[in-house]
Amino acid sequence: MKRKIIAYNFVLTEALEQLDDRFEVEYFDGINPKTDSAFLDALKQAEGIVGLALPVDKELLEHAPLLKIVSNNSTGFNNLSLDEMTKRGVMGTNTPGVLEDTTADAIFGILLAAARRIAELDHFVKAGHWTGHLTTEQYAIDVHHKTLGIIGMGRIGSTIAKRGHLGFDMKILYHNRSRNIEAEEKYDATYCDLDTLLKKSDFVCLMPPLTPETENLIGEREFKLMKNSCVFVNGSRGKTVDESALIEALRNKEIYGAALDVYRIEPINENHPLLQFPNVVTTPHIGSSTFETELKMANLAVENLLAGLTGKRPKNLVNPEAFKGE
């Protein structure tokens, strides 16, 4: 009898095929993992889970007595209750070092789209409103030689800084838990406190991981510190921003516009106020969503899973205390 693995939410079939000969793979998508009876039944026999954004907490772990590893198909792992997993000897892994360039492309892309009003003016043309020379009402703002403030100068933040500095001659300010000397040397990035960054930046790009410290990091006070000409960009997690405060900042014209790839609730409701602003670019969490990158991530997630199930230390183990091997 084959050992059971649960694939949850989203893992490319091309990667899962590596498991077919040795494991029974049961796939779940679009379910409530707390109430779905088939999922809860599968947990009883599952030794491994691979997938995206499954909340792994004490309640789930109590349903999974044989579980050895949860392999996240993402860089983030805030969905994993690592303390509870470690108590039970359940390993957790993620997929770093794969999506930086792809995500940076997407985030810098929506920054450009917001600054140059690309989505808004695309609609303007398609709606038949382009009947002559543009007026100043359709003018946008430059990106080159402006100041880009990056909050969260990790791998993705550094890759965004690279595009801004080397591609658009932008001055880079950054705020981070610790200094990023490599970014300072390569991209002439200047470390500063959060308030200074907010006051001086023409573009504020939010890229920290979601933690208790970063939840609602940007709210009413922070938006009021930004320039009226500032474009706010969020490519981190929706909960790092107080969306009500963002809506008020846009209504009061405290900022020029926003570019958002993440939201507090995803998918965002079609009647959400943020979707009513023409100066807000909204994309459906597309950061790593190219076939090439998603396949690399899925293959790495499966590689981590297989290592954990065969007694080896997974390459991207995030709670090393749970590993019982050599």
Side-chain angles (χ1 to χ4, degrees):
M1 184 176 178
K2 292 182 178 180
R3 299 158 72 185
K4 184 182 285 289
I5 288 173
I6 290 174
Y8 179 83
N9 200 348
F10 181 73
V11 186
L12 289 179
T13 303
E14 290 84 351
L16 289 178
E17 287 173 351
Q18 301 174 57
L19 303 171
D20 287 345
D21 292 339
R22 301 162 62 185
F23 301 93
E24 176 190 351
V25 181
E26 196 162 351
Y27 183 77
F28 295 90
D29 191 14
I31 63 158
N32 183 337
K34 292 188 178 296
T35 60
D36 187 272
S37 58
F39 177 79
L40 294 174
D41 189 58
L43 276 179
K44 296 175 184 177
Q45 300 299 322
E47 295 187 35
I49 298 173
V50 59
L52 180 66
L54 174 66
V56 179
D57 54 15
K58 182 178 180 180
E59 182 181 354
L60 181 142
L61 292 167
E62 288 176 349
H63 287 282
L66 304 181
L67 191 62
K68 294 179 174 63
I69 183 170
V70 180
S71 180
N72 260 13
N73 186 33
S74 68
T75 299
F77 49 89
N78 55 287
N79 60 305
L80 304 181
S81 297
L82 292 179
D83 288 345
E84 290 295 333
M85 291 172 60
T86 302
K87 287 178 187 176
R88 293 167 167 78
V90 178
M91 293 174 283
T93 63
N94 65 338
T95 57
V98 176
L99 51 69
E100 285 79 7
D101 279 310
T102 299
T103 302
D105 285 350
I107 300 309
F108 208 89
I110 62 173
L111 181 155
L112 282 169
R116 296 305 306 270
R117 300 172 65 178
I118 290 173
E120 182 184 352
L121 294 177
D122 171 75
H123 179 74
F124 175 80
V125 173
K126 289 175 178 173
H129 298 318
W130 187 29
T131 57
H133 293 296
L134 292 182
T135 69
T136 55
E137 291 181 359
Q138 281 85 46
Y139 286 0
I141 58 174
D142 282 328
V143 174
H144 61 84
H145 296 100
K146 295 291 183 69
T147 298
L148 171 59
I150 300 174
I151 303 168
M153 189 66 96
R155 291 178 175 177
I156 299 173
S158 296
T159 312
I160 293 169
K162 176 182 179 181
R163 282 151 176 73
H165 181 65
L166 300 181
F168 291 82
D169 293 311
M170 301 180 84
K171 178 180 179 181
I172 307 297
L173 302 179
Y174 79 98
H175 179 71
N176 202 47
R177 286 177 297 181
S178 57
R179 295 276 292 273
N180 187 326
I181 303 302
E182 183 179 4
E184 293 179 14
E185 293 174 348
K186 287 186 174 181
Y187 315 125
D188 199 24
T190 300
Y191 179 82
C192 61
D193 62 74
L194 180 60
D195 286 6
T196 298
L197 181 149
L198 296 173
K199 291 174 183 177
K200 292 188 174 182
S201 298
D202 299 300
F203 298 87
V204 171
C205 186
L206 187 61
M207 297 302 302
L210 178 62
T211 67
E213 292 73 31
T214 62
E215 187 168 351
N216 291 322
L217 179 64
I218 303 299
E220 180 182 1
R221 188 188 78 88
E222 288 73 28
F223 285 118
K224 289 185 182 301
L225 290 175
M226 296 179 195
K227 299 179 181 180
N228 294 132
S229 58
C230 179
V231 172
F232 173 70
V233 183
N234 190 9
S236 58
R237 290 291 185 268
K239 289 184 179 180
T240 56
V241 178
D242 180 339
E243 284 185 353
S244 297
L246 173 57
I247 291 165
E248 286 305 303
L250 290 162
R251 282 176 178 159
N252 298 331
K253 301 188 184 320
E254 293 171 357
I255 57 175
Y256 177 84
L260 310 172
D261 190 42
V262 291
Y263 314 89
R264 294 189 77 87
I265 297 176
E266 297 180 4
I268 190 170
N269 187 286
E270 62 180 3
N271 297 316
H272 197 289
L274 283 172
L275 304 185
Q276 311 308 314
F277 292 98
N279 58 332
V280 177
V281 174
T282 52
T283 49
H285 207 145
I286 64 170
S288 63
S289 297
T290 65
F291 182 79
E292 298 97 325
T293 293
E294 290 292 349
L295 184 56
K296 287 178 185 176
M297 289 173 61
N299 281 332
L300 181 53
V302 170
E303 179 185 330
N304 285 326
L305 180 78
L306 287 172
L309 291 175
T310 55
K312 300 174 185 176
R313 182 188 175 99
K315 180 179 179 181
N316 305 111
L317 186 62
V318 295
N319 60 336
E321 301 86 359
F323 179 62
K324 304 303 181 185
E326 297 294 331

